[in-house]
Amino acid sequence: MDDFISEIFALEKPCLIGEGDFVKALSNVLTNWDSEVSLNEALRVWTLIEPDADILDLIMKLKNDYIVCLATNQQKFRANYMSFELGYDELFDFSFYSCQLGKVKPSVEYFKAILNKLNLKSNNLLLLDDDRKNIGSAQEIGIHAEIFNISDKVEGLKNILTKYHIVIT
C-alpha cells in the first residue's frame, strides 16, 4: 500500500507545476495496480475539502477593503474543483495555483511571481500558511508571513489580522 500511495504522490508532483495531466496519470496508476477503486472514487480524495463557513464569511468582509488572494500548491484537477465547485474564483480576488504559475511553494520564485502579478512590494503582502517552510521563503523576500492552521478557526485568523492592524468592516 505504501508503494501505491508513494507512486500517486510522485506522479502528482510534476502536475503541481502544470506538467502533465493528473487525472490521466492517476487512471494509469489505478490500471497498473489492478485497483478495484474507480477513477472517480480515487479522485474524491482530492475533493474532501470542508471550508470553514466563519472563515469564508470573514474573507468576504476583508474583500471590502483589501485584496484577498489564495496561494496554493495544486494540480489542475484540484485547482478547478476549488475554483468552480467550492466557488473560490468568486471568493478570492486572485487565486495563485502552482499549476498555473509553474512554480511551487516554498520556492522564493513562487512568491516573487505573486508579487509580480499583483504589482506589489513584498512588505505590502501578508501570507498566512500552515507550513513553516512556506513562511520562511516568503519572509526571506520581505513578505509578512504567519503560521495559520484551519484548526485555529476564525478567532485565530482574527488574532493574526489584529497583529497587522487589519480592520474588518
Side-chain angles (χ1 to χ4, degrees), residues 57-70:
D57 184 54
L58 182 59
I59 290 168
M60 290 300 294
K61 290 176 183 173
L62 286 169
K63 282 182 60 170
N64 292 330
D65 300 303
Y66 303 95
I67 296 171
V68 182
C69 305
L70 175 67

Side-chain angles (χ1 to χ4, degrees), residues 22-40:
F22 176 72
V23 174
K24 189 177 199 176
L26 178 60
S27 177
N28 291 339
V29 169
L30 294 173
T31 300
N32 292 343
W33 281 81
D34 295 321
S35 174
E36 294 179 13
V37 175
S38 73
L39 177 61
N40 285 337

